Structure formats: structure tokens, C-alpha cells
């Protein structure tokens, strides 16, 4: 075989591998991209889905806020083993407090948490909701699936995704030309252009996100690495944790009571060492014990998941030395930080979010392209295989059904009774019920009509979110502007823009061709055949 022939055969085999590695787990990959993208704005989604939250205020210093929060924890949970105070930030507008309990509470939980209003220090009661975190966590926990099973299912999907990306790079001979080529109204060619553009535009992001996703569960996916190097006992696990996260290792209590320094003193010392970094949290381990110690963390803009904390003896105030972070831990932390985007400012988080949606668009256009290509390969008057019909209809449920479910999730947040038991779970049930209804609808209706009906519903649900918000809460767009609540305003505007974009897509969908009725001129069969072919996916 000549060199040119070998290259052609190799590229052809890579094209086959690219097609099937992307197609087999397309539903899972699309689900991961859509839900995972919300992780870059999970706190902002929380803010919208909890309209009881007050508008943020900057009237009090970090030392004052930490003092108020610690006093609340000591009053409400005097026997706790650890206190944690999440200080207000640009993205998290409330004081978030946690207490690790020595004994489980009445609800069986080993911890207690609450929101405090930074302006008053009083608890803020918010509705029971999954918020943005529930959407984000689904992309690796798959919600209804056991966590231990879900992470391996997602790991397999991530490997398939990485394989599809690498083989796609090999397959595309004109990758840079395809990046600038997008032709509309050209049938299968247009879908191929859309697939190429969405793939190439977000290619660096998708390579990073798939590789870093695998790094997240290194020891779960390759447990032999841990066992061979560290052992399998609990001490080995503790040593590994101390190695990867210096400054977070446990210090045992000694059982002797002691008077502790006020948290405000510790905050002031931390601000002296970090004069230009806003503080993110302060915690107190073993409160009231002679071995008690404070930990303080800051918001960082470097490539890390939060940085190494400062540690202080809670009795003397002396700084507790923290070991330097090893090179391998720095690498791992940087890779995971790239995946989560915690270090990113608002502009970079928007880029992350849009890149995640481009990843979903890549999967969606690939699905439609595959089905259209198979339909055009059918001989004239040949019966359409049931497998192709099934895929064409499930494509609709996958591509449009999941965004419909997300829209239903937001609507459920506003419409479900506030006193409903397990309300947060019912929000999520609404998402999956609507998604299941999308599959059922796509199977029951003529396909082109189903596409138009579901996309029209998608446009309406998202475009009407601002109106729904204004009618059910006092955080509508006008009130948000008056209060300076830009997060809720931008959320409403984003939903409105997505609804408008969906309406524009609806306008470009093929209109179903009706059969002629008595008294009308017969429709030309060639035109009818072309229309049916364009509507078949």
C-alpha cells in the first residue's frame, strides 16, 4: 500500500471511530455538557432561585461579619466539633454558616447549616430548592443513580468524548477552513458546517474539560496508583490527603478547655498577610479546646481551587506553619481548577458557559447530521429502517427535551407550593418528567410537527421566565433595577435572549406539508418528497 493510500485508509478508519465514539453515548455527553455548564454560574442561579435572599450590602467588614456568624454558631450549636463561616463575596451574597455536630441531629444529619443576612446577622429563611448546585452536580452524579456507579458511567462517557475529539482532529483535513465556513439552507451541508464550527470553536475548551474531568477521579478510576504507593489503610488515606491539601490536615483535640481569641483578631492578622485578597471563609476546629485552631482562606485569581489557608492557634494567635504544596499537588490542583473555573472572573466564566453550550451544540449537530446522512443514502422508494426512525425521533427528545426540562425546573421553582414536602426534589422531578414527555411527544406526532411544537414551547417557556418571576415574586426586572440586583436582572435577560433565539430557530424549521383536500389542486409529488426529506430529522 502506498503512503497516500495508507493515509486515506487511516483517516477513513478514524472517521468511523469518530462517528461511533460520539454517537454511542451521545445522550450522556449532551446531558453532561448542558448540566455541567451551569456550574460556572451555580451561585448566580442560586440567587435567582431563592428570591427571599436580600440584596447584597457592603456595610460591614469581614471581621464584624465573622464575629456575628461565630456568635450565632456558638449560641445555636455550643457542642459542635467545628464551625465554618462562608463570608459574603461578589458571587455569594449571604453569610453561610456550618456546624459539624458531634452527634447527629433530629434529622439524622451530622451537620447544621444556615444563611445569615450580612446586614442584620439574622437567619434568612429561603425556599427549599436545588438551585444551581443541583443542576451542576447532575453532570457527574446523574441524580437518580448511585454516586459510586454514576462517576464510572460518566468516566466511560468522558473517555468516549476524548476519543471522539482526537479522532475528529485527525479526520478533519480542512479544520481551519471549516472554522470559517457556515452555509445556511444547504441541508446536510449546513448541518456539517454547524457541527464543524461548534467543534472547532470550542475545541481547546473541550479537550481541557474532558482530560481534567478524568483527572478528577484519578484514584477512583486507577485505584492501583493509590494502593501501590500509599497502601490501603486509613492512615495512608490521611497521608495522601495531607500531601495533596497541605493546611487542611486534622489536629486532634486534647480535652482541656481554654479561652479562645476573638475571631476578629484572627481576621485582622489574615488581612495583614493578604492585604489585597478578599477573605472567603474562616473556620474554627475544636472550639473551646486547648488545641483549637482557626483557618482562613482567601479568594484567589491564580490557577487554583482556593489556595492554601492560613492557620492560627486559637488560644495564642500564633501562626501554625503550613507545609509547601508539592509540585504534583500544584499540577493536580491547577488541572481541577481549570475544570471548575473557580478562579475565573465574570468574563471568563461567560466564556466557559458558552463553550459548554457549544459542546452540547457539537453533539446535537452530530446527531442530526448522522440521521440525515443515513436518510439521503436510502434508495428511492426504499422503506426507512426502524432504527433510523427511532434515532430521528429520539434526537428530538435529546436535543430539545433536556432544555425543556431545564426550563420546567425554573418554572417549578416559582410555581410549586412553598410548603411542599421534599420541594427541591420535586423541582428536579419536574425536569425529568418534562424531558420524558418530550420523548413521548416526539414518538406520537409527525416528526416535523413535533420539532416545531417543542421548539415553540421551548421559546415560550424561556421568554416568559421574566414575566413569571415578576408575577410570583417582588424580584422582577424593574424591581431588580431599582434595587441594584444585577444578578437577578441578568438571569431574566438571559432567559429572554434564549427564548428569542429558540423562536428564531423555530422560524427556520421546515413547515409540515399537509395532504390535499377535496377541491384543491394536487400537490406536486416531487415537492412533497423533498419537503418530507427535509423534515425527517
Amino acid at each position: 500500500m502506498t503512503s497516500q493510500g495508507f493515509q486515506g485508509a487511516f483517516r477513513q478508519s478514524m472517521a468511523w471511530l469518530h462517528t461511533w465514539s460520539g454517537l454511542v453515548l451521545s445522550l450522556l455527553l449532551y446531558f453532561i455538557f448542558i448540566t455541567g455548564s451551569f456550574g460556572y454560574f451555580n451561585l448566580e442561579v442560586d440567587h435567582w432561585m431563592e428570591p427571599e435572599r436580600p440584596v447584597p450590602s457592603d456595610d460591614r467588614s469581614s471581621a464584624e461579619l465573622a464575629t456575628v456568624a461565630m456568635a450565632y454558631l456558638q449560641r445555636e450549636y455550643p457542642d459542635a466539633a467545628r464551625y465554618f463561616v462562608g463570608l459574603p463575596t461578589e458571587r455569594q451574597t449571604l453569610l453561610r454558616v456550618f456546624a459539624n455536630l458531634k452527634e447527629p441531629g433530629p434529622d439524622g444529619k451530622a451537620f447544621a447549616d444556615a444563611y445569615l443576612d450580612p446586614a442584620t446577622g439574622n437567619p434568612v429563611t429561603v425556599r427549599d430548592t436545588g438551585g444551581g448546585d443541583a443542576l451542576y452536580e447532575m453532570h457527574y452524579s446523574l441524580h437518580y443513580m448511585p454516586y459510586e456507579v454514576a462517576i464510572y458511567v460518566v468516566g466511560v462517557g468522558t473517555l468516549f468524548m476524548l476519543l471522539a475529539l482526537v479522532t475528529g482532529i485527525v479526520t478533519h483535513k480542512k479544520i481551519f477552513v471549516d472554522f470559517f465556513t457556515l452555509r445556511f439552507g444547504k441541508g446536510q451541508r449546513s448541518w456539517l458546517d454547524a457541527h464543524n464550527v461548534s467543534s472547532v470553536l470550542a475545541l481547546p475548551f473541550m479537550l481541557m474539560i474532558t482530560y481534567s474531568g478524568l483527572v478528577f477521579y484519578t484514584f477512583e478510576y486507577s485505584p492501583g496508583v493509590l494502593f501501590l504507593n500509599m497502601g490501603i489503610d486509613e492512615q495512608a488515606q490521611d497521608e495522601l490527603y495531607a500531601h495533596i491539601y497541605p493546611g487542611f490536615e486534622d489536629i486532634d483535640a486534647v480535652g482541656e478547655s481554654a479561652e479562645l481569641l476573638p475571631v476578629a483578631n484572627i481576621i485582622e492578622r489574615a488581612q495583614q498577610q493578604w492585604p489585597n485578597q478578599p477573605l472567603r471563609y474562616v473556620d474554627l476546629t475544636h472550639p473551646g479546646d486547648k488545641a483549637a485552631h482557626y483557618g482562613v482562606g482567601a479568594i484567589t485569581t491564580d490557577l487554583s481551587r482556593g489556595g492554601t489557608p492560613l492557620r492560627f492557634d486559637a488560644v495564642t494567635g500564633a501562626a501554625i506553619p503550613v507545609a509547601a504544596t508539592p509540585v504534583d499537588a500544584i499540577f493536580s490542583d491547577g488541572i481541577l481548577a481549570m475544570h471548575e473555573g473557580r478562579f475565573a472572573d465574570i468574563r471568563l466564566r461567560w466564556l466557559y458557559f458558552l463553550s459548554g453550550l457549544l459542546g452540547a451544540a457539537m453533539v446535537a449537530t452530530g446527531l442530526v447530521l448522522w440521521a440525515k446522512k443515513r436518510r439521503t443514502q436510502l434508495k428511492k422508494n426504499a422503506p426507512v429502517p426502524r432504527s433510523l426512525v427511532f434515532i430521528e425521533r429520539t434526537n428530538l427528545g435529546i436535543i430539545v427535551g433536556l432544555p425543556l426540562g431545564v426550563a420546567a425546573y425554573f418554572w417549578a421553582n416559582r410555581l410549586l407550593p412553598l410548603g411542599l414536602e421534599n420541594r427541591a426534589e420535586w423541582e428536579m422531578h419536574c425536569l425529568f418528567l418534562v424531558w420524558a414527555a418530550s420523548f413521548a411527544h416526539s414518538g406520537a406526532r409527525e416528526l416535523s410537527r413535533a420539532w416545531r411544537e417543542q421548539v415553540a414551547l421551548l421559546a415560550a417557556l424561556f421568554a416568559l421566565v421574566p414575566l413569571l418571576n415578576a408575577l410570583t415574586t417582588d424580584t422582577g426586572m424593574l424591581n431588580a433595577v431599582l434595587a441594584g440586583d444585577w444578578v437577578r436582572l441578568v438571569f431574566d435577560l438571559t432567559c429572554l435572549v434564549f427564548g428569542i433565539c429558540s423562536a428564531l430557530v423555530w422560524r427556520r424549521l421546515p413547515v409540515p406539508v399537509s395532504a390535499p383536500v377535496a377541491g384543491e389542486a394536487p400537490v406536486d409529488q416531487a415537492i412533497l418528497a423533498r419537503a418530507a426529506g427535509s423534515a425527517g430529522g
Side-chain angles (χ1 to χ4, degrees):
M1 180 182 291
T2 64
S3 174
Q4 186 174 1
F6 174 78
Q7 291 179 4
F10 176 73
R11 194 180 300 277
Q12 186 175 6
S13 65
M14 289 297 100
W16 179 90
L17 190 57
H18 172 74
T19 298
W20 287 102
S21 59
L23 185 67
V24 169
L25 294 179
S26 54
L27 171 61
L28 175 63
L29 295 175
Y30 185 76
F31 179 84
I32 290 172
F33 273 118
I34 291 290
T35 56
S37 296
F38 282 96
Y40 304 116
F41 288 110
N42 61 322
L43 296 179
E44 289 76 10
V45 175
D46 284 346
H47 186 69
W48 186 88
M49 296 186 74
E50 296 171 345
E52 299 81 9
R53 289 190 183 201
V55 178
S57 172
D58 298 326
D59 295 338
R60 309 179 79 170
S61 67
S62 295
E64 292 175 316
L65 292 171
T67 300
V68 169
M70 282 292 180
Y72 172 85
L73 288 169
Q74 290 167 348
R75 181 175 66 252
E76 297 294 328
Y77 310 104
D79 297 325
R82 179 175 177 261
Y83 299 139
F84 178 92
V85 177
L87 297 169
T89 65
E90 182 182 356
R91 299 185 61 203
Q92 172 59 272
T93 59
L94 295 178
L95 270 168
R96 189 78 184 270
V97 295
F98 290 88
N100 287 15
L101 307 177
K102 295 179 181 178
E103 298 291 337
D107 57 0
K109 295 182 179 179
F111 69 92
D113 65 317
Y115 287 123
L116 303 182
D117 186 341
T120 64
N122 297 325
V124 176
T125 301
V126 298
R127 63 189 59 196
D128 183 21
T129 176
D133 281 336
L135 285 174
Y136 165 65
E137 290 169 1
M138 280 201 303
H139 90 282
Y140 60 86
S141 66
L142 304 183
H143 195 65
Y144 295 114
M145 190 175 292
Y147 178 79
E148 294 76 10
V149 176
I151 60 173
Y152 287 100
V153 172
V154 171
V156 172
T158 305
L159 281 174
F160 270 72
M161 182 66 197
L162 189 60
L163 182 61
L165 290 173
V166 174
T167 52
I169 294 172
V170 174
T171 302
H172 283 79
K173 294 184 291 185
K174 301 178 180 179
I175 189 169
F176 294 106
V177 174
D178 288 339
F179 175 76
F180 297 103
T181 305
L182 183 57
R183 288 158 285 195
F184 294 100
K186 300 294 183 181
Q188 182 179 322
R189 180 70 250 184
S190 297
W191 285 107
L192 180 59
D193 288 345
H195 182 67
N196 290 336
V197 168
S198 59
S199 302
V200 177
L201 190 62
L203 182 60
F205 169 82
M206 287 185 285
L207 287 171
M208 177 275 293
I209 212 72
T210 50
Y211 173 73
S212 58
L214 293 172
V215 172
F216 241 104
Y217 294 102
T218 299
F219 299 116
E220 286 80 2
Y221 297 155
S222 302
V225 176
L226 172 63
F227 297 156
L228 292 175
N229 287 278
M230 307 294 294
I232 61 175
D233 56 9
E234 186 175 346
Q235 182 180 354
Q237 305 285 334
D238 294 340
E239 291 176 0
L240 175 67
Y241 189 85
H243 175 81
I244 298 176
Y245 304 110
F248 292 94
E249 56 270 19
D250 292 331
I251 298 176
D252 295 330
V254 297
E256 298 180 25
S257 61
E259 185 176 351
L260 308 185
L261 289 173
V263 68
N265 293 9
I266 302 301
I267 293 291
E268 291 173 3
R269 297 190 185 194
Q271 289 176 325
Q272 291 174 1
Q273 295 195 42
W274 288 331
N276 300 317
Q277 292 178 253
L279 300 185
R280 184 165 60 91
Y281 71 86
V282 57
D283 65 34
L284 173 61
T285 304
H286 307 311
D289 192 88
K290 189 176 181 179
H293 54 279
Y294 285 106
V296 183
I299 298 174
T300 61
T301 56
D302 57 356
L303 192 59
S304 73
R305 302 179 72 196
T308 302
L310 299 176
R311 299 284 291 273
F312 298 92
D313 188 300
V315 177
T316 66
I320 300 175
V322 177
T325 306
V327 174
D328 58 338
I330 293 175
F331 173 79
S332 175
D333 189 60
I335 292 294
L336 301 187
M338 290 175 65
H339 188 94
E340 293 178 322
R342 292 188 185 183
F343 65 95
D345 61 14
I346 183 65
R347 291 166 296 183
L348 186 53
R349 279 189 285 116
W350 271 110
L351 182 60
Y352 265 88
F353 178 74
L354 294 175
S355 296
L357 296 186
L358 279 174
M362 176 194 67
V363 176
T365 53
L367 286 171
V368 175
L369 179 63
W370 186 92
K372 283 190 169 293
K373 185 176 180 180
R374 294 307 180 277
R375 181 169 282 275
T376 57
Q377 290 174 347
L378 295 175
K379 295 181 180 180
K380 187 176 181 180
N381 299 324
V384 180
R386 290 185 178 182
S387 59
L388 179 57
V389 174
F390 175 79
I391 290 175
E392 287 178 332
R393 292 184 178 276
T394 54
N395 281 352
L396 172 57
I398 294 171
I399 297 169
V400 183
L402 181 56
L404 275 173
V406 173
Y409 180 68
F410 296 144
W411 278 68
N413 174 262
R414 291 298 192 258
L415 297 180
L416 289 177
L418 295 182
L420 179 66
E421 188 176 357
N422 298 322
R423 188 178 187 277
E425 272 300 303
W426 273 107
E427 288 180 351
M428 197 56 66
H429 294 334
C430 289
L431 186 156
F432 284 98
L433 286 171
V434 170
W435 194 12
S438 170
F439 282 103
H441 177 263
S442 65
R445 296 283 285 169
E446 191 272 325
L447 189 57
S448 60
R449 292 184 187 277
W451 270 95
R452 289 182 65 83
E453 289 165 357
Q454 290 199 29
V455 173
L457 179 60
L458 181 67
L461 287 179
F462 271 105
L464 293 175
V465 162
L467 178 61
L468 171 71
N469 185 36
L471 292 176
T472 55
T473 73
D474 59 358
T475 62
M477 294 175 67
L478 178 59
N479 288 340
V481 171
L482 295 176
D485 193 351
W486 308 118
V487 171
R488 291 188 177 113
L489 175 65
V490 171
F491 185 97
D492 279 351
L493 288 175
T494 301
C495 288
L496 180 60
V497 169
F498 190 83
I500 293 172
C501 291
S502 299
L504 294 175
V505 171
W506 175 83
R507 290 191 60 188
R508 300 192 66 87
L509 291 174
V511 178
V513 179
S514 300
V517 297
E520 291 186 352
V523 179
D524 181 62
Q525 292 303 310
I527 297 176
L528 187 62
R530 287 198 298 272
S534 66

